[in-house]
Amino acid sequence: AAKAMEDLHVQEEKQDNASDGQMSKSAMKKLAAKEAKAQKKAERAGKRGQQAQLITQPPEDDPVKERYGDTGLIQSQTVSGRTWDRIETLDAKSDGKEVMLRCRLQTSRGKGKSAFLVLRQGCSTVQAVLFVDDVNVSKTMVKYATQIPKESVLDVGGVVSVPEAAIQSCSQSEVEIAVNSIRCVSRADPLPFELSDAVRPESVTEEEAETGTQFARVNQDTRLDNRF
């Protein structure tokens, strides 16, 4: 009887070992599949990281590479001879006029092969638009424009046009600028808060009441912590 019991335990142990071996192979297959999946995910993330890489200069093969990119330090070594235009003077009578603006970037928004910027001089603002045509504007140029930090100093060239509908968000609502060149003169550091949030009143706005959405506000402590 004792011999029979011993043989039974040995047989059970062999079955367990065989079962463990099968589980091990299955686990190895799952692990290999998991590693392959993780590798593909890392490769995709790497490609996205490369695509999202900050653009400061155009690639050599860009057909409009002369039309955009960060400028170097001027250090008063040269005189450009350029004549700068004032945003506040632009109106419907400026339609078709070629302009060159030294301004700040107030806001930017990219959408597919287009970008919409709001440029500011003092209290005057105007909308600037970029549409990919590979003649004046390339896809990389649009990406470059949308990556520029807000409040950066820009040199923007373009042609004034009269849009079908007034640009209500800008002081120069009658016109917009079709950009054909854009260069960042000085990149701004990231802001601790959005200026649009800082100027928002403490009371509930009409838009908030209608939509039921609460917008961000900047409290006094945050303002005092970020004084210059």
Side-chain angles (χ1 to χ4, degrees), residues 48-204:
R48 287 196 299 269
Q50 291 176 357
Q51 293 174 353
Q53 186 176 5
L54 181 66
I55 301 172
T56 58
Q57 296 297 333
E60 287 298 323
D61 59 349
D62 195 323
V64 299
K65 62 182 180 181
E66 302 297 331
R67 295 183 177 273
Y68 69 100
D70 289 12
T71 62
L73 294 176
I74 300 173
Q75 298 179 325
S76 301
Q77 295 178 358
T78 59
V79 179
S80 67
R82 296 172 180 169
T83 301
W84 304 101
D85 295 283
R86 297 293 304 172
I87 290 178
E88 61 194 26
T89 65
L90 303 179
D91 54 24
K93 296 179 181 179
S94 305
D95 187 23
K97 179 183 178 181
E98 186 86 22
V99 294
M100 177 63 73
L101 304 173
R102 170 67 60 84
C103 53
R104 287 190 180 272
L105 177 63
Q106 180 160 308
T107 63
S108 65
R109 175 172 58 91
K111 186 178 181 181
K113 294 184 178 181
S114 61
F116 300 85
L117 317 176
V118 174
L119 310 178
R120 188 183 74 247
Q121 288 176 344
C123 295
S124 301
T125 56
V126 65
Q127 177 172 275
V129 297
L130 295 91
F131 296 102
V132 174
D133 58 8
D134 291 327
V135 177
N136 293 317
V137 178
S138 66
K139 191 173 182 179
T140 309
M141 184 174 173
V142 168
K143 187 178 294 186
Y144 167 80
T146 57
Q147 287 183 347
I148 298 174
K150 296 176 183 178
E151 298 304 316
S152 295
V153 179
L154 308 179
D155 285 350
V156 178
V159 179
V160 179
S161 62
V162 177
E164 295 181 0
I167 312 299
Q168 300 295 341
S169 59
C170 296
S171 64
Q172 309 310 108
S173 59
E174 297 180 340
V175 295
E176 65 181 10
I177 298 174
V179 175
N180 54 36
S181 68
I182 179 169
R183 295 191 177 277
C184 185
V185 179
S186 178
R187 287 182 175 264
D189 291 331
L191 299 176
F193 49 78
E194 295 291 338
L195 295 181
S196 57
D197 295 337
V199 300
R200 187 171 291 117
E202 291 296 328
S203 57
V204 177

Side-chain angles (χ1 to χ4, degrees), residues 205-213:
T205 63
E206 183 177 346
E207 184 178 358
E208 287 177 309
E210 291 178 353
T211 62
T213 303

